Amino acid sequence: MLNYKIVKIFFLFIIFFSLLAVYLGIGKYVKDLLGWISFFILNTIVITFIIMLYLNKEYIFRKSRESEKFKVSVVVPVYNEGENIIQTIESLLNVNYPKDKLELIFVDDGSTDNTGEIVKRYPVKYFRKQNGGAASAKNYGIAKSTGEIIITMDSDSVIDKNAIRRIVSYFEDESVGAVAGTIRARAPKNLIQKWQSVEYDLILIYRRILEAYDSVYVTPGGLSAFRKSALEEVGYFDEKSLTEDQEIAMALQKKGYKVLCSLDAYVYTTVPESLPKLIKQRVRWIRGGIYNRIKHQDLLDLKWGNLFIFGYLLDILFFIPFVTVFIGTILLLMEQYFWIERLGLDVVGLMIDQFFVTSLIFWLISLPWQLYMLNYFKDLLNETRYSILDFLGFMFIFGFGWFFVWFVVMIKEIKGERNLWETR
Amino acid sequence: MGDQIKKIDYPFFISALIITIVVFSSGYMIGWYLSEKNNNEIIDEINNINSLLSVLQILHAEEFCKFYPYIISKIEANSWKLGEKLQYIENQGRTEDRLKNLYFEFQYRDMTIVKKAISECKFETKIVIYFYTNKPNLCQTCTAQGFELSRARNILKEQNQSIRIYSFDGELEGMGKLLANIYNVTSYPTIIYNNRKYGFLSKDELLNILK
């Protein structure tokens, strides 16, 4: 039976194991072995995605239908947004959906600025509560709602006018419990935001591929829709979760509901513009993901099919490359610099070995198909939001940044820092 | 809604596994080929500087002392770099024994010639013999010792001092083990200078001994 202490113990074990291997002089061999294993696993998954995409292209890129059938309540938790909330409100007031079937609810989670005053100027429902995190604000709003479909949205996002009519169309299938929206980065300005923009667009297609295999395990807080009766069945959002948007998707899947995603119910969200903010966000995502898997450890069972593999097993297997990189970092700090000192640039040519070449081949395989996926948005929306250089930067730099974030997660878990959901 | 039985699409994973194995195997073989190419280039380099040693070996005493500084300077820079490359490859777990034995044979010939130059031509050169092993249970400081030797050598070179460091893997079947037996090496690392044996020496300790 897993519990939360296991995370700290596990990370301590990784550190102990890595340092022991290096001390015994076998660090390099352990790193190489784990490196080969993790590379093999990761690339099997990549090839799996490529096959899945190829076989389900039409389904994956299908357009949403539109519907005005349901009474919809949009719940937006807000906290110290200030003037930024205006764009969110105005985009919601501008949506193309019958006004008599649309309820807009803003839940102020204890803002200390003038957010409340600004919201009250608009013809929306406004509630204020004590600060308790986004999940508690959403639950508060749902409790006040009258719609049969609940849409949750971030308060720093701008929704497309057709997003609601598209996202609710999926609920005409009674078995659908939730639908993830199409979250895109809003007006990326600097390199970090552009890389996130690439990432968000890729994730949309990945999620659609997962949907084709009934294994969507996140309904992002940026924009997601839920059947209210399904939410009641699973007990609404977990207010203790750091990533309640993932937790609720897992809970709904376990109850037998379908979790789908749309590719054209757009919302444009503000992404972190600086490295510290980005790291803070990603640390929360990873820690939230770990805790959700502990909570839903019964998903660690073959009976959950593809959901078990993509929604659970993959993340566990990610520990293998993490340990590889951890040991490799220790060895690098100890030795690699000195080889550059001794050999100069000759060391570059000597680095070419079987692992290097195989890694390169897999990078080369993964590049074109990811570009193919990104082209979907370029063709559909006739826009160019990032260049090839941005894409390559995302592939070669941003991706490796994940390992650094994992280091931070490891330190926080070992220190036993308990992050409650920080709304800001 | 009740419990559902969800399926795993095994055909996809199996197909992906097969494709991955094919790509892996191709990558592995290409990498092996390029690695071998690297090794062959090193062998060619060893053979090239070996041929320069051969020239010195056939010269008469007078000509030997006359041409020694010129030829040895050509050999020295290349052989040191070669040794560093071999150590790097070894550190990555990729060396072949045949490569190492070839290099050790060259080193031993080189050492013999340098000793001859010292005794017959009165050239001043410090000779350091270093025995190491890659077996982690026998030596955990050998990699570090390599760095310290490298640093000490560079400092002495900057001071225009002549120094030759000959490194041998004392556990390697062939030349390495033979020399380790001759010099009665019982532990690693072992540094031999002026007929005295030492264990691990830092850069500063090395410079102190070699001054």
Side-chain angles (χ1 to χ4, degrees):
Chain A
M1 179 81 177
L2 300 174
N3 66 42
Y4 296 92
K5 277 188 203 148
I6 205 97
V7 182
K8 181 172 176 171
I9 293 169
F10 187 66
F11 277 123
L12 283 170
F13 170 74
I14 287 176
I15 293 175
F16 171 74
F17 171 77
S18 304
L19 291 174
L20 182 67
V22 172
Y23 174 74
L24 291 175
I26 57 170
K28 207 191 74 59
Y29 303 106
V30 172
K31 181 203 77 162
D32 286 350
L33 178 64
L34 291 178
W36 278 111
I37 293 172
S38 52
F39 212 75
F40 199 85
I41 292 170
L42 288 174
N43 283 287
T44 303
I45 300 296
V46 165
I47 303 270
T48 304
F49 269 106
I50 295 175
I51 296 173
M52 285 157 79
L53 174 66
Y54 175 73
L55 291 176
N56 297 280
K57 250 189 327 200
E58 273 181 37
Y59 178 82
I60 287 164
F61 292 115
R62 75 190 187 284
K63 289 193 176 17
S64 303
R65 286 180 289 130
E66 296 186 358
S67 172
E68 294 179 355
K69 183 178 165 187
F70 301 95
K71 171 101 195 267
V72 173
S73 298
V74 180
V75 176
V76 184
V78 300
Y79 179 77
N80 285 353
E81 280 298 336
E83 301 279 329
N84 292 331
I85 197 69
I86 293 173
Q87 288 185 66
T88 308
I89 298 173
E90 289 182 351
S91 70
L92 278 167
L93 288 172
N94 201 32
V95 295
N96 183 9
Y97 200 80
K99 298 295 180 261
D100 58 333
K101 286 186 176 179
L102 185 64
E103 183 182 40
L104 302 177
I105 300 172
F106 285 75
V107 181
D108 186 345
D109 197 35
S111 295
T112 55
D113 65 357
N114 64 340
T115 301
E117 298 308 312
I118 297 171
V119 175
K120 281 189 238 178
R121 290 184 214 150
Y122 291 89
V124 300
K125 289 186 181 172
Y126 170 82
F127 300 98
R128 185 179 166 86
K129 63 181 273 298
Q130 251 190 333
N131 182 259
S136 69
K138 287 178 192 175
N139 286 341
Y140 192 97
I142 293 168
K144 301 288 186 192
S145 68
T146 57
E148 52 197 312
I149 302 295
I150 306 293
I151 291 178
T152 60
M153 192 177 141
D154 280 346
S155 53
D156 58 358
S157 303
V158 170
I159 194 169
D160 179 79
K161 64 180 183 182
N162 292 314
I164 292 181
R165 58 196 300 106
R166 287 175 183 165
I167 205 170
V168 300
S169 68
Y170 292 89
F171 289 96
E172 291 183 13
D173 178 349
E174 294 275 330
S175 64
V176 172
V179 183
T182 316
I183 314 225
R184 305 192 76 207
R186 188 167 149 197
K189 291 187 180 61
N190 61 27
L191 207 51
I192 290 175
Q193 288 183 320
K194 284 187 182 172
W195 288 346
Q196 290 174 80
S197 188
V198 174
E199 182 195 28
Y200 275 45
D201 284 356
L202 281 173
I203 284 174
L204 291 170
I205 313 279
Y206 277 123
R207 201 172 287 137
R208 254 289 168 88
I209 297 174
L210 290 180
E211 189 212 276
Y213 294 90
D214 198 16
S215 42
V216 175
Y217 59 94
V218 177
T219 43
L223 178 72
S224 288
F226 304 89
R227 195 181 297 277
K228 191 173 181 182
S229 55
L231 285 177
E232 284 165 7
E233 215 177 313
V234 300
Y236 304 103
F237 290 95
D238 181 350
E239 294 178 16
K240 289 195 184 121
S241 175
L242 287 174
T243 47
E244 76 286 351
D245 48 359
Q246 185 188 68
E247 193 280 329
I248 196 92
M250 289 176 163
L252 286 168
Q253 284 268 19
K254 277 163 62 177
K255 278 290 179 189
Y257 286 100
K258 280 189 197 160
V259 178
L260 306 180
C261 56
S262 77
L263 267 192
D264 50 12
Y266 299 106
V267 73
Y268 295 88
T269 194
T270 308
V271 296
E273 72 277 11
S274 71
L275 208 50
K277 284 185 182 171
L278 178 63
I279 290 171
K280 188 177 171 184
Q281 179 196 61
R282 298 310 166 101
V283 166
R284 180 175 65 78
W285 285 8
I286 291 175
R287 296 181 82 192
I290 293 172
Y291 298 151
N292 287 339
R293 280 164 183 81
I294 290 175
K295 181 178 176 184
H296 293 287
Q297 56 190 268
D298 50 339
L299 281 174
L300 195 56
D301 190 325
L302 280 172
K303 79 174 187 190
W304 296 107
N306 295 326
L307 179 66
F308 152 68
I309 291 178
F310 293 112
Y312 209 103
L313 187 64
L314 256 189
D315 275 27
I316 293 176
L317 291 176
F318 185 75
F319 275 105
I320 301 175
F322 173 63
V323 176
T324 309
V325 171
F326 188 65
I327 297 177
T329 306
I330 297 173
L331 292 171
L332 190 81
L333 290 172
M334 284 170 62
E335 287 181 20
Q336 203 66 22
Y337 164 77
F338 304 113
W339 284 115
I340 296 170
E341 187 189 329
R342 284 168 78 168
L343 281 167
L345 287 175
D346 282 349
V347 78
V348 176
L350 294 172
M351 279 177 177
I352 296 176
D353 63 359
Q354 292 87 323
F355 190 83
F356 179 89
V357 173
T358 314
S359 312
L360 191 62
I361 291 177
F362 273 107
W363 275 120
L364 291 172
I365 288 174
S366 64
L367 286 181
W369 82 288
Q370 304 219 52
L371 276 172
Y372 167 76
M373 292 199 296
L374 288 174
N375 254 344
Y376 166 79
F377 292 103
K378 185 163 166 275
D379 292 342
L380 189 74
L381 302 170
N382 201 28
E383 58 174 30
T384 309
R385 307 176 100 222
Y386 30 75
S387 64
I388 284 283
L389 275 178
D390 294 328
F391 168 70
L392 290 173
F394 164 75
M395 288 291 290
F396 290 105
I397 302 171
F398 192 81
F400 285 108
W402 266 109
F403 290 107
F404 175 74
V405 176
W406 272 91
F407 288 143
V408 177
V409 167
M410 182 168 75
I411 291 165
K412 282 187 178 282
E413 286 299 324
I414 289 170
K415 283 166 78 177
E417 285 181 21
R418 290 282 144 243
N419 269 18
L420 293 179
W421 214 127
E422 297 163 30
T423 48
R424 283 297 175 267
Chain B
M1 288 283 149
D3 280 335
Q4 279 189 349
I5 301 295
K6 294 180 187 278
K7 63 181 175 101
I8 294 180
D9 287 278
Y10 286 111
F12 289 133
F13 293 113
I14 291 169
S15 310
L17 196 63
I18 292 170
I19 294 172
T20 305
I21 290 170
V22 169
V23 176
F24 248 74
S25 307
S26 312
Y28 194 90
M29 284 172 61
I30 295 170
W32 175 84
Y33 169 75
L34 290 172
S35 227
E36 273 298 289
K37 206 162 160 291
N38 254 334
N39 287 347
N40 289 335
E41 281 170 9
I42 290 173
I43 291 173
D44 287 342
E45 279 184 63
I46 294 173
N47 288 335
N48 284 341
I49 48 178
N50 247 336
S51 61
L52 288 175
L53 274 181
S54 299
V55 169
L56 278 174
Q57 277 182 323
I58 60 171
L59 290 175
H60 295 301
E62 224 177 82
E63 283 175 329
F64 173 83
C65 292
K66 185 179 167 189
F67 290 110
Y68 171 83
Y70 172 73
I71 295 176
I72 211 68
S73 67
K74 290 245 175 276
I75 292 171
E76 193 186 353
N78 288 339
S79 74
W80 177 254
K81 205 69 184 287
L82 208 52
E84 295 281 75
K85 282 185 188 177
L86 275 171
Q87 265 216 277
Y88 176 85
I89 295 171
E90 194 165 38
N91 195 251
Q92 304 303 307
R94 285 189 271 138
T95 343
E96 285 183 34
D97 288 354
R98 65 175 176 123
L99 206 60
K100 282 170 76 172
N101 267 316
L102 200 61
Y103 182 68
F104 291 163
E105 278 173 37
F106 153 73
Q107 281 200 113
Y108 190 72
R109 288 179 72 205
D110 183 63
M111 187 167 68
T112 313
I113 285 176
V114 171
K115 281 183 175 174
K116 181 182 173 184
I118 292 170
S119 71
E120 291 184 13
C121 314
K122 310 298 175 209
F123 286 119
E124 282 187 21
T125 300
K126 300 183 200 311
I127 293 181
V128 176
I129 306 173
Y130 164 52
F131 285 93
Y132 70 94
T133 176
N134 286 328
K135 295 176 182 169
N137 56 321
L138 292 178
C139 185
Q140 287 172 6
T141 54
C142 282
T143 306
Q145 182 66 84
F147 294 133
E148 298 300 309
L149 277 165
S150 192
R151 289 193 175 121
R153 178 191 174 269
N154 289 342
I155 290 171
L156 289 170
K157 282 287 174 190
E158 280 168 16
Q159 295 168 358
N160 287 324
Q161 292 196 46
S162 179
I163 176 168
R164 305 300 293 270
I165 300 176
Y166 299 101
S167 307
F168 299 100
D169 179 352
E171 292 297 305
L172 182 73
E173 288 297 334
M175 201 71 187
K177 257 195 173 151
L178 179 67
L179 288 169
N181 283 336
I182 290 171
Y183 283 94
N184 197 25
V185 171
T186 54
S187 63
Y188 302 101
T190 292
I191 292 176
I192 301 171
Y193 177 68
N194 271 350
N195 295 319
R196 282 192 66 183
K197 273 194 227 172
Y198 304 88
F200 179 87
L201 293 172
S202 68
K203 175 200 78 184
D204 293 329
E205 287 168 334
L206 278 163
L207 290 171
N208 200 35
I209 290 165
L210 293 170
K211 65 181 176 195

